[in-house]
Amino acid sequence: MTHKVVLLDLIQPPQAPNSAAEVHRSWSGVSSYTDAMYRILLHKQWTDYPRHMIAGMTASVFRLVVDQGLTVESISAYNWMAENFVAADFIGVTASQAAGFSFEPTFPLYQKQALLDIKASIDRGGGAILWHDQFVVVAGYDDEEQVLFICESKGNEVVRLSYDSFGRNSTPYWYYQVLEACAPIDLWEVCKESLIQAVYKWETHDYMLPPQDYACGAAAYASIAAALQSGTYDAEQAATVLRYYAKSRWDIASYVAGLEHLSNQMDQVIDEYELLANLYTLIVEVIDDPISWNSREPECVQSVIELIRKAGTTEQRAIDAIKRAFPETIGNRFDDVGLR
């Protein structure tokens, strides 16, 4: 018996931006895990928060990772299994997931099970999150045609992905996640914890990434400046990476602006992240001049390098302000700030 299910309302793009500022900052670049997750949360009616709140509460927005060449891979270079599971857990969502390499001899078995899990989630009205050279949403399937219907998390264009093509990406990684249930959370405890995780992400190198190839957190700014100074980067990919992190820093500024009551020290946290967002706005304005940026005009590149260095100093001040806001909690964790 053949079967076809398409969750039409999951294909519709998320609700319109809430303000003129968000319209100005909208950007249809690489789709992140948070983008895909947020679309499903809205579909399931598990949240009525704006996207920047989910990005902040999951702590995903605080990640900052770059490789030496500022390639687009930088954006998704992290431990998906660990961080995406924790991101869902932070906001009270139970998730199941699996990942691996398509070159492994057992891949056909995993592929078969993945398709069963994803289709079962669609049958329950939930959809799924899938890695297909970026994080996408699976909104339906058709057994007769042997295809999944996927869409990028910021648009409504549906792409057909054959069952056999599942997990066969431009890189050998495959991954999917199903969001199964949602439980109530203590909102302000989650928000406080997310800021403590921001400190951890800033100060800790991701142990999954070779340190000679990747820089994380505070070290990322020096790496970005060095790559731009050396000229060993692809201008288009570097622009995508910088725009992506500009969007994340705008999201952080919007997120922390609503957390003033968490501590009497939050004012400086809010001020520093607003300054950081403004610096990234200036960075985007420079790289939005394609003639100067793509031809690597020295004045243009040096301008971005100077702004990046200022951004690094500013974000360090923001992290220092978070540490002053929650000294007891952070101090009690000693050398493992990420422990919760």
Side-chain angles (χ1 to χ4, degrees), residues 73-321:
E73 185 193 352
S74 303
I75 294 168
S76 57
Y78 66 93
N79 185 343
W80 298 342
M81 288 293 281
E83 292 202 34
N84 293 350
F85 180 83
V86 170
D89 185 53
F90 267 20
I91 58 172
V93 173
T94 304
S96 60
Q97 58 185 9
F101 299 98
S102 56
F103 55 72
E104 291 176 337
T106 52
F107 171 67
L109 298 175
Y110 283 109
Q111 184 188 54
K112 183 177 179 181
Q113 185 60 49
L115 290 168
L116 289 173
D117 291 345
I118 290 169
K119 291 197 294 181
S121 179
I122 292 168
D123 288 341
R124 296 191 301 269
I129 298 168
L130 174 69
W131 176 257
H132 185 59
D133 292 328
Q134 60 181 324
F135 288 102
V136 298
V137 175
V138 188
Y141 68 91
D142 186 332
D143 279 340
E144 184 173 353
E145 296 193 19
Q146 297 277 291
V147 294
L148 297 174
F149 299 109
I150 64 173
C151 51
E152 293 180 16
S153 47
K154 294 186 179 181
N156 55 8
E157 182 183 350
V158 177
V159 176
R160 301 156 72 89
L161 178 70
S162 72
Y163 288 174
D164 187 57
S165 295
F166 170 92
R168 303 184 192 278
N169 301 302
S170 61
T171 54
Y173 312 116
W174 61 268
Y175 171 90
Y176 71 96
Q177 185 186 64
V178 171
L179 306 183
E180 297 177 341
C182 187
I185 56 170
D186 184 327
L187 174 62
W188 304 123
E189 279 300 313
V190 170
C191 291
K192 176 182 173 182
E193 181 59 41
S194 72
L195 295 177
I196 294 166
Q197 294 298 317
V199 175
Y200 177 74
K201 290 182 186 297
W202 179 255
E203 296 182 344
T204 310
H205 183 86
D206 187 326
Y207 69 90
M208 294 285 287
L209 302 176
Q212 67 271 23
D213 298 324
Y214 293 90
C216 304
Y221 282 102
S223 185
I224 294 170
L228 295 176
Q229 194 73 62
S230 69
T232 56
Y233 62 91
D234 176 274
E236 186 176 342
Q237 290 199 54
T240 298
V241 171
L242 291 171
R243 287 195 184 98
Y244 179 86
Y245 286 121
K247 179 68 169 66
S248 72
R249 271 52 202 162
W250 292 331
D251 283 343
I252 293 173
S254 299
Y255 175 59
V256 300
L259 306 183
E260 186 175 5
H261 63 286
L262 289 183
S263 164
N264 56 15
Q265 299 287 325
M266 279 298 294
D267 282 354
Q268 190 180 357
V269 176
I270 293 167
D271 290 345
E272 296 296 353
Y273 277 122
E274 184 178 357
L275 287 171
L276 182 64
N278 290 337
L279 285 168
Y280 270 98
T281 297
L282 297 176
I283 290 169
V284 170
E285 286 175 359
V286 175
I287 63 179
D288 273 351
D289 179 354
I291 296 175
S292 298
W293 176 255
N294 292 336
S295 62
R296 304 169 196 260
E297 288 185 6
E299 186 178 347
C300 171
V301 176
Q302 287 303 316
S303 175
V304 173
I305 291 172
E306 184 180 341
L307 288 166
I308 280 292
R309 287 176 175 151
K310 287 181 180 177
T313 302
T314 304
E315 191 156 355
Q316 180 66 65
R317 290 199 305 265
I319 295 296
D320 291 342

Side-chain angles (χ1 to χ4, degrees), residues 40 43 69-70 114 139 158:
I40 292 178
H43 165 72
L70 299 184
V158 177

Side-chain angles (χ1 to χ4, degrees), residues 39-51:
R39 191 157 183 163
I40 292 178
L41 292 176
L42 289 177
H43 165 72
K44 295 287 285 183
Q45 298 183 330
W46 284 349
T47 189
D48 53 7
Y49 296 126
R51 182 197 166 282

